[in-house]
Each structure stands twice: as structure tokens, then as C-alpha cells.
């Protein structure tokens, strides 16, 4: 917790010194054409929508806004490209529902993408690129160089940011391939939208924007289904392991240990009905098994007690939804909560209590 606070303070100071300065520099020293307010609004709407619904690949959110910010850059200059990209980062952070102790992620990404924009934009101007250029042959050369520099700068800064956060990742990793794939997809779209906008105006946003947003949404849903299939496959493997255990205690130990591999949870508890109380039988917290951490609960007392009494599962996506209903022990930093009754002969004999430190982290889990 203290480590995150130190990062947050350091990055906030860097952000305060660099980002406003970078925006002012882009406005003062690089050519820009004034943008009408309704065009600003159109860019903000499309950039906001695309950023708010990122595609999650390998637990990494990818937001495909560059085809929009690229058009803003080519039409009106570096200042507007930076402005819309910074807005996109804010929308992405809202979408991911980052907590206070994760705010450093916003400041880190904001500074990182500012430098990427400045480096690639300055390179575009240096090789003879001009904003508002309607000639494809004159534009394509500087634009390809701009995109390559943008890609390389993004990869280097992303790698450095990982080192700053203490992540040991190879420079040439799968994330780079995904970034290159998205580049090859959004670059032609951005160029096409730019020239189409020059020909037919605002209708171009509908012609290209709506199909792109639909495609991104379908791709995100496909990725979600892939993750569900992965969870199911892991569940089947654990099921096979459970059938190999003959002792009840072995089954319980394996189940509670493996539950975090099947579902995106940080804490898992099995509560057993003994007499008129719900007693902790097995518990695991971030991979470590804990037993004596939760006091006994009466029926209809707290979240688990209500699930025991009603026989109905409950799902809460964030702390604000359950904090007035909680009673007794709750792990630190809890956000998403899933509580499921365990039946035997149509009678509740126990409760499975799962907790994640991330908001809406179990939203796609279906239960009856």
C-alpha cells in the first residue's frame, strides 16, 4: 500500500510537470488549425466510446483510438491529437474502474503517451509532413515514418514503464505482436477516414466509425467467450484432480486452493453449516491457506448468512453495493463479492464465498 502511494506521488509530480507543459508546447510551437466546437464534440464522442470499451487480450486492455486521433492530427495538428488521446486515457481508466491505490496507472500512461505523441509528431514534421495535405502521394511517406516511430516509441516506453512497476518482461513479447496487429488494422482506417472526411464531411464518421465500433465490440465479446472457455477447461481439469482424491479433507483443500485458477478471485472461503451457525471450513487468501480468520455467523447475518437463509446466490460488483450488508470478517481491499449456497438434498449445507479486489471482476460469471 505504501509502495503504491510512493509511486502515485512520484508520477503525479512528473505528470504535473510534463503533461500540461507538453500540451502547451504542442499548441505554441507546432502548426495547428482551429477546430470547430461541433467537430471537437464528434471526436470526443467517438474517442470516448472506443476507449470505454477496450479489448482485453492476455489481461491487457487495448484501446483502438489511434484511427481517430490520427485523423485529428492530420486535419488540425499535434495539439488536438494529444488532447484527444489524453481524453481517451481518462475514459479507459473509467472503464477499468481503477481504485485510488491504482491511480498511478493513469499518470504513468498519460506521461507515456504524451511522449509518444510528441516524438512521432515531431518526426512527421521533420520529414516534411504537412497537416491538411490532401495529396496521398505527398502524405503517405511521412505518415508511414510517423507510424513506425509511434510504434517503436510506444514499445520502448511501455517496456520502461514495466521496469518502473517492477515487472520483468521481455522486450519482444506477445504484447508487441498484438500492438503491431492493431497498428496494421487502425492505420488504414485512419487514413481512409481522413480522406473520406475531406470528401464527404461528418458523414465519414458514420460510414467508418459505426462499423469499426461494431467490429471492436464483437471482437471483445469473442475474447470474453474465449476466457470463459479457458475457465471451463481449467474447471474440468480440477474436476479430474478432485475425483482422484479419496479423503474429504484432501478434496476440500484442493478445491479451495484451485478456485482462484478457475475464477478471477483473490480470496475464497468454504463455510459449513454446523448446528445454528455458519463456520469457516476452508479458506485461501491470495494463494495461502488460512483457517482461523472468520468468526461463526448466524443465519441471515451478513452476506453469507443471508445466502444461507434464502438459498439464493448474490453478486456484488463493488464495495458500495455490499458494505452496508456485510457483517464480521471481510478481507482488506475487497470489491467484487460472489456468494453461492451449497446444497445437499435440497437443503443448504454450506456457502462458497469468493472475493476479488477488483471492481466488476466477476461480472461475467453466471450462476443459478
Amino acid at each position: 500500500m505504501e509502495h503504491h502511494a510512493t509511486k502515485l506521488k512520484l508520477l503525479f509530480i512528473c505528470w504535473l510537470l510534463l503533461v500540461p507543459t507538453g500540451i502547451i508546447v504542442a499548441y505554441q510551437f507546432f502548426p495547428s488549425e482551429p477546430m470547430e466546437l461541433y467537430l471537437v464534440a464528434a471526436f470526443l464522442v467517438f474517442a470516448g466510446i472506443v476507449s470505454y470499451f477496450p479489448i482485453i487480450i492476455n489481461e491487457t486492455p487495448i484501446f483502438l483510438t489511434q484511427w481517430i486521433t490520427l485523423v485529428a492530427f492530420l486535419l488540425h495538428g499535434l495539439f488536438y491529437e494529444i488532447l484527444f488521446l489524453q481524453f481517451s486515457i481518462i475514459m479507459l481508466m473509467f472503464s477499468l474502474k481503477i481504485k485510488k491505490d491504482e491511480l498511478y496507472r493513469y499518470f504513468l500512461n498519460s506521461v507515456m503517451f504524451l511522449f509518444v505523441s510528441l516524438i512521432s509528431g515531431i518526426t512527421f514534421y521533420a520529414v516534411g509532413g504537412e497537416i491538411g495535405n490532401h495529396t496521398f502521394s505527398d502524405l503517405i511517406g511521412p505518415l508511414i515514418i510517423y507510424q513506425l516511430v509511434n510504434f517503436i516509441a510506444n514499445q520502448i516506453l511501455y517496456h520502461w514503464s514495466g521496469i518502473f512497476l517492477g515487472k520483468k518482461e521481455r522486450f519482444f513479447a506477445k504484447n508487441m505482436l498484438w500492438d503491431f496487429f492493431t497498428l496494421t488494422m487502425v492505420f488504414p482506417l485512419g487514413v481512409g477516414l481522413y480522406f473520406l472526411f475531406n470528401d464527404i464531411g461528418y458523414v465519414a464518421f458514420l460510414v467508418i466509425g459505426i462499423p469499426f465500433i461494431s467490429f471492436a465490440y464483437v471482437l471483445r465479446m469473442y475474447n470474453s467467450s474465449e476466457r470463459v472457455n479457458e475457465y471451463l477447461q481449467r474447471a474440468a481439469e480440477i474436476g479430474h484432480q478432485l475425483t482422484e482424491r479419496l479423503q474429504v479433507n484432501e478434496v476440500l483443500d484442493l478445491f479451495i486452493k484451485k478456485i482462484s485458477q478457475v475464477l478471477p478471485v483473490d480470496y475464497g472461503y468454504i463455510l459449513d453449516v454446523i448446528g445454528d451457525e455458519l463456520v469457516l471450513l476452508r479458506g485461501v487468501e491470495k494463494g495461502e491457506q488460512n483457517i482461523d480468520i472468520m468468526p461463526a455467523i448466524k443465519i441471515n447475518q451478513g452476506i453469507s448468512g443471508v445466502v444461507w437463509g434464502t438459498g439464493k446466490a448474490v453478486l456484488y460488483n463493488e464495495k458500495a453495493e455490499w458494505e452496508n450488508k456485510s457483517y464480521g470478517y471481510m478481507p482488506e481491499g475487497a470489491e467484487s463479492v460472489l456468494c453461492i449456497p451449497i446444497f445437499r438434498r435440497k437443503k443448504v449445507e454450506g456457502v462458497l464465498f469468493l472475493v476479488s479486489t477488483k471492481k466488476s471482476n466477476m461480472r461475467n460469471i453466471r450462476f443459478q
Side-chain angles (χ1 to χ4, degrees):
M1 197 76 173
E2 191 174 319
H3 184 54
H4 288 319
T6 303
K7 285 181 181 177
L8 180 58
K9 290 178 183 177
L10 178 61
L11 287 169
F12 175 71
I13 293 171
C14 292
W15 182 91
L16 203 59
L17 292 173
L18 297 173
V19 173
T21 303
I23 293 174
I24 293 171
V25 167
Y27 182 79
Q28 292 288 340
F29 295 98
F30 296 97
S32 62
E33 296 290 335
M35 186 180 290
E36 298 172 337
L37 285 178
Y38 47 86
L39 183 56
V40 171
F43 273 107
L44 288 176
V45 168
F46 274 91
I49 292 173
V50 173
S51 303
Y52 195 78
F53 298 102
I55 300 169
I56 309 297
I57 298 175
N58 294 328
E59 305 299 328
T60 301
I62 297 177
F63 64 123
L64 308 176
T65 56
Q66 197 190 22
W67 65 281
I68 301 172
T69 58
L70 176 63
V71 177
F73 172 69
L74 293 176
L75 286 173
H76 294 275
L78 183 59
F79 168 74
Y80 289 101
E81 191 266 348
I82 292 176
L83 204 63
F84 295 135
L85 186 55
Q86 292 294 318
F87 173 75
S88 299
I89 295 170
I90 295 174
M91 294 302 295
L92 176 64
M93 295 298 110
F94 273 115
S95 172
L96 298 177
K97 295 181 173 63
I98 62 170
K99 298 182 292 184
K100 289 182 180 179
D101 62 343
E102 294 179 317
L103 275 175
Y104 67 88
R105 293 171 59 187
Y106 163 71
F107 296 115
L108 180 62
N109 280 279
S110 179
V111 172
M112 186 177 76
F113 281 108
L114 170 72
F115 276 100
V116 171
S117 295
L118 287 173
I119 293 169
S120 54
I122 292 171
T123 302
F124 176 81
Y125 294 127
V127 297
E130 297 180 2
I131 63 170
N133 192 329
H134 295 188
T135 306
F136 181 81
S137 58
D138 294 335
L139 179 66
I140 193 63
L143 193 53
I144 290 175
I145 296 173
Y146 164 86
Q147 286 286 204
L148 288 174
V149 171
N150 187 288
F151 175 75
I152 294 170
N154 183 60
Q155 296 306 313
I156 292 173
L157 290 173
Y158 177 80
H159 184 68
W160 284 352
S161 68
I163 295 174
F164 174 78
L165 295 176
K167 298 179 180 178
K168 296 181 180 180
E169 294 182 356
R170 294 180 302 168
F171 183 77
F172 296 99
K174 288 183 178 180
N175 287 335
M176 179 181 286
L177 294 176
W178 279 112
D179 285 344
F180 185 76
F181 167 73
T182 56
L183 171 65
T184 59
M185 182 174 64
V186 300
F187 178 65
L189 279 172
V191 174
L193 179 59
Y194 170 68
F195 284 105
L196 193 61
F197 182 86
N198 286 323
D199 287 339
I200 64 176
Y202 297 98
V203 180
F205 281 105
L206 302 178
V207 173
I208 292 183
I210 291 179
F212 178 84
I213 292 173
S214 301
F215 169 75
Y217 180 77
V218 170
L219 188 60
R220 182 179 180 179
M221 291 299 100
Y222 171 77
N223 183 255
S224 297
S225 66
E226 288 291 296
R227 295 178 72 189
V228 170
N229 288 335
E230 183 181 350
Y231 291 147
L232 291 175
Q233 184 177 356
R234 290 178 181 177
E237 292 173 357
I238 293 171
H240 289 305
Q241 294 178 38
L242 290 176
T243 58
E244 295 172 359
R245 301 297 195 275
L246 298 178
Q247 300 298 322
V248 173
N249 288 338
E250 289 183 1
V251 172
L252 290 173
D253 288 339
L254 180 62
F255 174 77
I256 199 64
K257 183 179 179 181
K258 294 287 187 177
I259 192 69
S260 61
Q261 298 179 11
V262 183
L263 301 176
V265 298
D266 301 293
Y267 306 92
Y269 312 96
I270 298 176
L271 306 173
D272 188 23
V273 175
I274 300 179
D276 61 348
E277 289 184 327
L278 197 58
V279 179
L280 179 64
L281 189 62
R282 290 291 187 279
V284 61
E285 297 192 333
K286 295 187 175 180
E288 299 294 328
Q289 291 201 25
N290 295 289
I291 299 297
D292 299 323
I293 54 175
M294 188 180 294
I297 299 171
K298 300 289 185 181
I299 192 167
N300 294 321
Q301 192 178 61
I303 298 172
S304 300
V306 170
V307 170
W308 173 22
T310 62
K312 295 181 179 179
V314 295
L315 171 64
Y316 301 110
N317 290 310
E318 56 184 283
K319 184 177 180 179
E321 297 178 4
W322 56 258
E323 59 181 340
N324 293 330
K325 304 171 184 177
S326 179
Y327 174 85
Y329 178 80
M330 181 66 76
E332 183 180 355
E335 286 289 346
S336 303
V337 172
L338 174 62
C339 196
I340 306 171
I342 300 173
F343 288 92
R344 184 181 181 187
R345 297 189 182 94
K346 299 183 179 181
K347 182 181 178 182
V348 178
E349 296 289 351
V351 171
L352 177 62
F353 192 79
L354 305 176
V355 178
S356 171
T357 56
K358 295 182 180 179
K359 295 181 180 180
S360 305
N361 208 35
M362 293 180 278
R363 179 179 291 173
N364 293 326
I365 300 173
R366 297 179 181 272
F367 54 90
Q368 296 179 348

